Amino acid sequence: MIKKLKVTFCGGATTVTGANFLLETVPESGEQQVKILIDCGLEQGSREAETNNRKPFPYDVAKIDYLFVTHAHVDHVGRIPKLVKDGFKGKIFSTPETRKLAPIMLEDSMKVFSMDQSELPPLYNEEDIVNAMKLWHDIPYDTCTELAGRLEVCAKDAGHILGSVMYEFAYNGKKIVFTGDLGNSPTPLLRDTAVLTDTNYLVMESVYGDRNHESKEERRGKLENVIEEAYKRKGTLVIPCFSLEKTQVLLHEMNKLLSEGRIPEEPVYLDSPLAIKVTAIYQDKSRGFNEEVKAEMQHDDIFNFPNLKKINSAEESKALLDSPSPKIIIAGSGMSSGGRVVHHEQHYLPDERNTLLLIGYQALGTLGRHIQNGEKHVRIYGHDVPVRAKIETIFGYSSHKDSDGLLEFVSNTRDTLIKVFTVMGEPKAAMYLAQKIQDTLAVEAEHPHQGESVILDF
């Protein structure tokens, strides 16, 4: 007998951030209904996003049975304490790595709320984080778990960041997969994204659905060149960097380049208390790493090198402005939407000897996106700041699959696919990928809108 599942795109549709999807059984008479959330993240990039994050959830929070978390980036976990504060009492599942990373990321977000100069109230407090973690349970990689209502869920490696997974829900003989974010395999640190071959419905990310990255060799070569050129100009190289995954990838790459004598030995400052905490978790030798990295970690601290200095206090961070160049400063946030890097940009952008290197996605409306778009003047803390520094971008260090990688991912399961939904991308990227899937693979695909619901046959 055909059964049905309902999917509602509560967040993460027609936008990159704010992932939040609701999966529900459509019960027959007398059957139990099951309600499942996949991710509960923050919208990022604008004042409108800050307002949206504080709105009531578009579902009855108390009736949600489960929340499955794909990974610990705040655009996937950032509203979980609010969910609990608003009445969620179900079970939260993630990999053990995500469970360790999540409270660190949430506590950092809470500090950002407290520093917000707007009149908006904080989204949650420390007690809400503690209460959320009490509901948290582990679901290891490649492990399937039976749920209520004859559903089964299996966690498959997404290869995006440490602990990231896709969730495969099996129901009445068919499967639907929510990918979360998909890794740019092969990555410098992690195992490759798991290959799907028998999926029927796919809800997949599309951040880079309309463009491709540099190759592994090109990205490392470009990083080497950017560092060398900045050093020759005797300037400061500022790298806005996401604290989770991107920073660890960058430290690993710089460690390799230094050990091979390919970049000069100059001071490198990691100016991010959050990145320092996250790196300590990465140093625990997680099973999520690829075999090459596991072997390296047997004889080397791959996230450390002699000229690396870790900056914790705000006073130390301010003192960097007076430290001699050439030097490299790695600081958050990755989109220059807050954090210590903004102070550095205010100081270093006006000088043509300096370099700003962007190595992550820059969301619409963020300072990073304005700089990446080539604007010659930007507003920082109410001041007009001229952009005279050299601006460089390396897409190859993205933790997301590019357009060709996403298409290949879908192609592995094309024979069983009924429909693909492209989400977590700007409208242009999501539409492009959906059309590319239809034209190339002859698989039905669409980009849903925020708040839209679809009924799927199972």
Side-chain angles (χ1 to χ4, degrees), residues 433-446:
L433 181 61
Q435 192 64 51
K436 189 175 181 180
I437 290 169
Q438 290 192 148
D439 293 346
T440 308
L441 303 178
V443 172
E444 186 177 356
E446 69 174 64

Side-chain angles (χ1 to χ4, degrees), residues 184-188 211-225 249 253 262 359 393-398 400-405:
N184 182 24
S185 304
T187 73
R211 71 200 107 152
N212 289 320
H213 306 319
E214 303 99 338
S215 68
K216 181 178 180 180
E217 293 73 23
E218 287 175 310
R219 71 192 181 200
R220 184 177 292 178
K222 191 167 184 179
L223 176 63
E224 179 182 351
N225 291 337
V249 167
E253 289 281 71
R262 292 171 57 182
I359 61 169
T393 300
I394 304 177
F395 290 111
Y397 284 107
S398 172
H400 296 264
K401 288 192 188 304
D402 62 12
S403 185
D404 287 349

Side-chain angles (χ1 to χ4, degrees), residues 77-251:
V77 301
R79 286 194 299 161
I80 292 176
K82 178 182 178 346
L83 189 78
V84 173
K85 182 179 181 179
D86 289 358
F88 173 77
K89 292 182 173 60
K91 292 183 177 181
I92 303 173
F93 286 96
S94 78
T95 59
E97 292 86 353
T98 296
R99 180 177 51 78
K100 291 177 185 177
L101 289 165
I104 297 174
M105 303 300 291
L106 293 170
E107 287 162 12
D108 183 74
S109 289
M110 184 181 67
K111 291 176 184 175
V112 173
F113 301 145
S114 67
M115 293 185 291
D116 191 347
Q117 299 300 309
S118 73
E119 297 180 358
L120 294 171
L123 203 59
Y124 50 80
N125 58 33
E126 190 172 355
E127 182 182 2
D128 299 320
I129 297 174
V130 171
N131 289 336
M133 298 314 299
K134 289 178 181 177
L135 302 175
W136 215 291
H137 302 266
D138 290 345
I139 180 168
Y141 286 115
D142 305 316
T143 299
C144 295
T145 301
E146 289 188 11
L147 305 176
R150 299 182 182 179
L151 281 156
E152 184 179 80
V153 63
C154 187
K156 295 180 177 289
D157 201 334
H160 172 61
I161 68 168
L162 188 67
S164 61
V165 292
M166 304 176 276
Y167 288 110
E168 176 188 83
F169 295 93
Y171 182 62
N172 199 37
K174 289 183 179 176
K175 296 179 178 179
I176 181 171
V177 172
F178 293 80
T179 67
D181 290 339
L182 294 168
N184 182 24
S185 304
T187 73
L189 298 177
L190 305 176
R191 299 185 303 183
D192 289 351
T193 304
V195 177
L196 304 181
T197 58
D198 58 354
T199 302
N200 303 112
Y201 298 100
L202 188 58
V203 180
M204 66 179 295
E205 70 123 311
S206 59
V207 174
Y208 289 99
D210 60 346
R211 71 200 107 152
N212 289 320
H213 306 319
E214 303 99 338
S215 68
K216 181 178 180 180
E217 293 73 23
E218 287 175 310
R219 71 192 181 200
R220 184 177 292 178
K222 191 167 184 179
L223 176 63
E224 179 182 351
N225 291 337
V226 169
I227 292 173
E228 286 183 337
E229 289 176 9
Y231 182 82
K232 288 175 183 176
R233 289 199 307 276
K234 302 188 185 306
T236 295
L237 170 58
V238 178
I239 309 177
C241 204
F242 295 99
S243 298
L244 175 52
E245 184 67 23
K246 199 81 70 196
T247 293
Q248 293 72 43
V249 167
L250 185 60
L251 293 177

